[in-house]
C-alpha cells in the first residue's frame, strides 16, 4: 500500500482529530494529496486537496474553516479536523496523484495512489 492513513478514532461532537497520510517508498513533494471520505451506502466524497506549497488547498464547503490540510515534511500530509460534527463520521482515505497538469480535484478516479482508510466516528 503506497499510502498509510492513520489517526482516526472516536470523539464527541466539537472534538478534534488529526489524520496522517504517509508515503511509503517515495516522497510526496511532486504529488497532490487529497482526502476523501465515505459512509456506507454513499459514494466516496472528496473533501480537500493539497496541491503543493505553491498553491492554496481547496476545501469543500462542508469542512472549510474546520479542517486544515498541511504537509510538514516530504513524506507526510496531515488533516487537522476541529469542531467535528456527527456528519463527519466516515472512513477517511488519502489519495495522491502527480501534481502536474489539471484534473477534477474531487473525482476519485483522478488519483493514482490510495491509502487503506481510517475510521472517524463522531457521536455523543
Amino acid at each position: 500500500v503506497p499510502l498509510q492513513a492513520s489517526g482516526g478514532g472516536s470523539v464527541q461532537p466539537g472534538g478534534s482529530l488529526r489524520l496522517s497520510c504517509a508515503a511509503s517508498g517515495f516522497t510526496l513533494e511532486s504529488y497532490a494529496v487529497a482526502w476523501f471520505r465515505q459512509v456506507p451506502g454513499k459514494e466516496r466524497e472528496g473533501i480537500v486537496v493539497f496541491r503543493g506549497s505553491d498553491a492554496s488547498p481547496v476545501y469543500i464547503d462542508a469542512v472549510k474553516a474546520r479542517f486544515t490540510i498541511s504537509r510538514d515534511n516530504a513524506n507526510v500530509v496531515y488533516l487537522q479536523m476541529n469542531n467535528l460534527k456527527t456528519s463527519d463520521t466516515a472512513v477517511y482515505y488519502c489519495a495522491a496523484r502527480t501534481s502536474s497538469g489539471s484534473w477534477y480535484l474531487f473525482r476519485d478516479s483522478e488519483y493514482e495512489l490510495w491509502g487503506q482508510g481510517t475510521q472517524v466516528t463522531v457521536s455523543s
Side-chain angles (χ1 to χ4, degrees):
V1 179
L3 299 174
Q4 296 288 334
S6 61
S10 296
V11 297
Q12 294 184 338
S16 298
L17 285 171
R18 189 176 79 158
L19 305 184
S20 300
C21 178
S24 177
F26 66 102
T27 68
L28 292 171
E29 286 180 316
S30 60
Y31 285 82
V33 177
W35 284 95
F36 289 76
R37 64 186 181 186
Q38 189 171 27
V39 298
K42 293 190 175 182
E43 293 186 357
R44 192 155 47 187
E45 172 189 41
I47 61 171
V48 60
V49 179
F50 180 84
R51 300 177 292 169
S53 56
D54 295 334
S56 298
V58 181
Y59 300 87
I60 63 169
D61 288 345
V63 306
K64 196 176 295 182
R66 298 188 298 121
F67 291 11
T68 303
I69 193 169
S70 63
R71 189 181 69 201
D72 278 356
N73 60 57
N75 285 359
V76 185
V77 169
Y78 301 98
L79 182 64
Q80 178 66 43
M81 307 188 296
N82 297 328
N83 191 22
L84 283 160
K85 304 177 180 181
T86 55
S87 56
D88 294 318
T89 296
V91 177
Y92 283 70
Y93 299 88
C94 61
R97 58 159 286 145
T98 53
S99 57
S100 61
S102 61
W103 67 97
Y104 291 101
L105 297 178
F106 297 123
R107 181 179 291 178
D108 56 6
S109 60
E110 297 275 10
Y111 293 82
E112 305 150 352
L113 306 174
W114 287 85
Q116 80 285 13
T118 184
Q119 175 71 46
V120 172
T121 302
V122 185
S123 70
S124 54

